[in-house]
């Protein structure tokens, strides 16, 4: 069952196409890896899925992206980003905020004022889902940037999960991390797919093999392969 159905998607920077006529169904509650050489459009593609692409000066987009049959290109972009969370290559907790405030930052950005107990509950739940609670529960009022790189990335995952998105987009989430932190985050990603659909950009074939149920290969802005990861990586 697909959560996203992308139809004839084109994405441009100053009229120059970076995504060319891509059609793809992204399966729900599965992990889909987006792979391909540098510059093939991986980041542009996932930034279309939460309408970040259109915020780039000179960028435009054409086609349809159906999220459960509703075209997100016709929805309020703020609402889209509420449903489609994102984690970036470099951990980017808000530098002046505490761990606690980072986790509920999504609500602040949406202008939602939470009651204290409700915020406490959301913070604990999101940090537990991100496998970070035990490490930070006694330092919630320290700055997020005081954590290690791997912890900061898990904090960013908690921040994304806190608003209960339907999809979590991850743009090379481990490429700035050491092998131990990477292994921890891979384990977490696999655990998360019970509750959320994940689309992960990765350069790393071994990582796609370890975490992804499906793999899409892009080349020069086109989708050239898509299927179960085991079939994509099997030489006939
Ligand atoms: P990947 O993530 O696979 O490395 P990108 O999506 O970053 O690929 O880039 C796809 C193409 O779009 C590349 O040719 C790149 O140079 C171009 N591109 C990316 N970002 C911009 C931008 N902000 N302005 C102009 N061109 C861009
Ligand atoms: P200020 O008006 O100084 O910006 P804040 O919005 O930072 O105040 O809130 C002060 C404290 O209240 C924060 O440190 C946090 O613990 C709590 N808080 C902030 N925003 C929320 C929210 N949306 N829901 C629940 N608690 C919040």
């Amino acid at each position: 069952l697909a959560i996203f159905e992308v139809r004839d998607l084109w994405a441009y920077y100053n009229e120059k196409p970076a995504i060319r006529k891509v059609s793809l169904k992204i399966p729900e509650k599965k992990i889909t890896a987006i792979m391909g050489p540098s510059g093939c459009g991986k980041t542009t593609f996932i930034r279309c899925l939460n309408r970040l692409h259109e915020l780039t000066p000179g960028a435009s987009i054409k086609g349809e992206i159906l999220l459960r049959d509703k075209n997100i290109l016709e929805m309020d972009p703020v609402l889209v980003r509420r449903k489609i969370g994102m984690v970036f290559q470099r951990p980017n907790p808000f530098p002046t905020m505490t761990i606690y405030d980072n986790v509920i930052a999504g609500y602040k950005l949406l202008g939602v004022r939470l009651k204290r107990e409700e915020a406490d509950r959301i913070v604990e739940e999101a940090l537990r889902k991100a496998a970070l609670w035990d490490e930070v529960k006694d330092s919630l009022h320290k700055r997020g940037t005081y954590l290690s790189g791997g912890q900061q990335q898990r904090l960013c995952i908690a921040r994304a999960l806190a608003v209960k998105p339907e999809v979590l987009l991850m743009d090379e989430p481990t490429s700035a991390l050491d092998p131990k932190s990477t292994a921890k985050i891979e384990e977490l990603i696999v655990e998360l797919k019970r509750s959320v659909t994940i689309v992960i950009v990765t350069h790393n074939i071994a990582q796609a093999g370890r975490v992804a149920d499906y793999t899409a290969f892009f080349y020069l802005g086109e989708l050239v392969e898509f299927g179960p990861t085991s079939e994509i990586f099997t030489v006939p």
Side-chain angles (χ1 to χ4, degrees):
L1 197 67
I3 186 164
F4 265 129
E5 182 173 353
V6 176
R7 289 188 188 155
D8 290 339
L9 185 72
W10 292 77
Y12 307 83
Y13 296 99
N14 304 310
E15 263 90 83
K16 202 172 161 280
I19 292 295
R20 300 161 177 267
K21 205 172 166 41
V22 168
S23 295
L24 171 65
K25 289 183 184 175
I26 295 177
E28 184 168 12
K29 302 269 176 84
K30 301 283 181 203
I31 302 174
T32 299
I34 308 292
M35 298 200 68
S38 188
C40 71
K42 301 182 295 295
T43 295
T44 303
F45 178 71
I46 66 164
R47 284 166 52 90
C48 288
L49 301 180
N50 68 348
R51 301 195 58 178
L52 271 184
H53 173 68
E54 297 152 81
L55 298 182
T56 307
S60 57
I61 190 167
K62 201 179 78 183
E64 283 183 322
I65 302 175
L66 306 179
L67 174 69
R68 303 186 188 285
D69 298 327
K70 259 190 98 185
N71 189 356
I72 64 162
L73 301 181
E74 290 164 359
M75 284 166 63
D76 175 357
V78 176
L79 188 66
V80 172
R81 284 192 280 278
R82 158 88 169 71
K83 290 172 181 283
I84 317 294
M86 187 141 176
V87 173
F88 300 86
Q89 183 167 359
R90 304 217 159 263
N92 60 349
F94 295 113
T96 62
M97 286 190 199
T98 63
I99 293 170
Y100 185 100
D101 285 342
N102 261 287
V103 178
I104 53 166
Y107 289 90
K108 284 197 183 180
L109 296 176
L110 292 166
V112 177
R113 190 83 206 173
L114 299 167
K115 288 207 174 70
R116 187 75 212 195
E117 315 83 76
E118 200 182 350
D120 286 352
R121 191 177 50 72
I122 287 168
V123 167
E124 177 170 347
E125 197 177 302
L127 288 170
R128 281 192 188 281
K129 277 196 196 155
L132 188 58
W133 175 251
D134 289 337
E135 291 160 59
V136 303
K137 61 176 189 249
D138 299 321
S139 43
L140 295 176
H141 295 286
K142 288 190 180 154
R143 285 189 182 206
T145 46
Y146 137 96
L147 299 170
S148 74
Q151 289 174 323
Q152 288 189 32
Q153 193 61 303
R154 280 180 279 138
L155 176 59
C156 293
I157 293 171
R159 180 176 65 190
L161 294 175
V163 295
K164 306 195 166 60
E166 298 204 45
V167 180
L168 185 59
L169 307 174
M170 308 184 100
D171 193 356
E172 301 197 38
T174 63
S175 63
L177 305 179
D178 61 82
K180 213 170 150 209
S181 305
T182 296
K184 179 119 195 166
I185 286 188
E186 287 183 1
E187 194 185 316
L188 168 61
I189 289 171
V190 173
E191 179 67 26
L192 283 176
K193 80 167 169 185
R194 296 164 195 254
S195 51
V196 68
T197 301
I198 294 176
V199 182
I200 177 173
V201 171
T202 178
H203 261 107
N204 184 333
I205 291 183
Q207 179 168 72
R210 284 191 296 266
V211 306
D213 302 297
Y214 293 85
T215 295
F217 254 96
F218 283 71
Y219 188 71
L220 297 176
E222 291 184 58
L223 176 69
V224 292
E225 286 269 21
F226 176 71
T229 302
S230 52
E231 291 175 21
I232 294 279
F233 292 138
T234 303
V235 180

